Amino acid sequence: MAHIQLDLDGYTDLPEGKVATVVTHLEMLEKPALKPIDRPDLTLERAGKIDITEYRALFKRVGEPWLWFGRLVMNDAELEATLSRPTNEFYWAMKNGEPVGMLELDVAKEDEVTLSYFGLVPEAVGGGAGRWLMNHAISKAFSRPEVKRFWLHTCTGDSPRALQFYLRSGFKPFKRSIEVADDPRLNEILDRSCAPHIPFLP
C-alpha cells in the first residue's frame, strides 16, 4: 500500500486511481421535535433475511450518483455477514410494492446508534420523502431509552444538499476527516459516467 504525506497547508497529489472526499461527522444528542410528513404512498418495512442481490441493486440505484461503493466492493460472504449481524437493522422504504429507499442502523453500542446508510432512489426524491425517512430513522434510534447519541457522516461525494438536510434535521457537526479510496469506476464496480461531480480520470 502506497503512503503519501498529506500537506495540511496546501495541495497533496493523489496516486493514480485514487479519489478523495472531505467527510463531515455529525451527531444528535437528543431527539428533536419532528415535523410530521404525510406520505401514505410510502411504507417502511424491517428486513428479515436480506437477499444480497436485491440489496446490491437498491444500494447501487440509491448511491451510484454519489459514488457509493462501500458495500459493492464486498464479496458475497462479507456482505451477508455484515447484513446478518444482530446489531444491524435494515429497513426498506417501499412504494407500490417496490423498494425505493434504504435505512440502515448499527446498534452495536448500547448508548448510541449509527446511521450506516440512508437514501432514496433518484425518482423517489422530493415531496418530503427524505424527511419522512429521516423521521423514521430518528424515531427508531431514540426508541431505545439508553441511547444518548445518534450519529452519521456525509462527504463531498454525496448530494450537495445532504449536509444541509442533516443540519436541518438536528444533527451537529463534530469532526472532519479525509477519505481516500480506489476509484470504483476503474474496475467497473460503478459505471464511468456516474458521479460527474467527481470527474473520472482515465
Side-chain angles (χ1 to χ4, degrees):
M1 178 183 294
H3 293 277
I4 59 174
Q5 185 66 39
L6 176 65
D7 186 343
L8 294 178
D9 292 301
Y11 294 95
T12 299
D13 289 340
L14 295 178
E16 290 185 4
K18 295 287 187 179
V19 290
T21 58
V22 177
V23 181
T24 300
H25 304 254
L26 304 103
E27 64 185 359
M28 179 182 289
L29 303 181
E30 61 182 3
K31 183 181 178 181
L34 301 177
K35 179 182 177 181
I37 297 294
D38 185 25
R39 286 298 303 261
D41 57 321
L42 299 174
T43 58
L44 195 70
E45 297 182 7
R46 172 80 182 269
K49 181 173 175 55
I50 302 173
D51 182 291
I52 60 172
T53 300
E54 188 176 8
Y55 175 91
R56 281 196 182 106
L58 180 62
F59 186 95
K60 193 170 183 179
R61 286 178 65 201
V62 172
E64 189 171 40
W66 318 116
L67 214 64
W68 285 15
F69 61 86
R71 295 289 167 77
L72 299 178
V73 297
M74 292 181 172
N75 62 38
D76 288 357
E78 290 173 323
L79 184 57
E80 285 183 344
T82 297
L83 296 177
S84 63
R85 285 197 306 255
T87 57
N88 187 82
E89 293 186 4
F90 183 80
Y91 300 85
W92 307 99
M94 305 292 292
K95 182 174 182 177
N96 298 326
E98 297 293 331
V100 295
M102 62 196 311
L103 167 59
E104 191 168 344
L105 302 173
D106 182 347
V107 297
K109 295 184 178 180
E110 183 176 306
D111 61 348
E112 75 174 36
V113 175
T114 304
L115 182 58
S116 302
Y117 286 100
F118 172 94
L120 296 159
V121 299
E123 58 269 30
V125 173
R131 178 61 55 210
W132 173 88
L133 189 58
M134 179 54 73
N135 282 356
H136 279 290
I138 294 171
S139 294
K140 291 188 177 300
F142 286 101
S143 66
R144 300 167 173 80
E146 66 276 10
V147 168
K148 297 179 175 61
R149 180 175 183 254
F150 184 33
W151 78 280
L152 58 86
H153 64 261
T154 187
C155 73
T156 50
D158 282 333
S159 166
R161 295 179 292 182
L163 179 57
Q164 291 303 314
F165 174 80
Y166 294 134
L167 293 174
R168 290 195 303 273
S169 298
F171 290 92
K172 306 294 183 185
F174 68 91
K175 185 174 74 169
R176 185 173 292 118
S177 57
I178 296 173
E179 180 182 19
V180 179
D182 293 332
D183 190 331
R185 295 167 294 192
L186 279 172
N187 52 17
E188 299 182 352
I189 291 174
L190 292 173
D191 189 87
R192 293 187 177 189
S193 64
C194 76
H197 61 298
I198 305 176
F200 175 71
L201 303 178

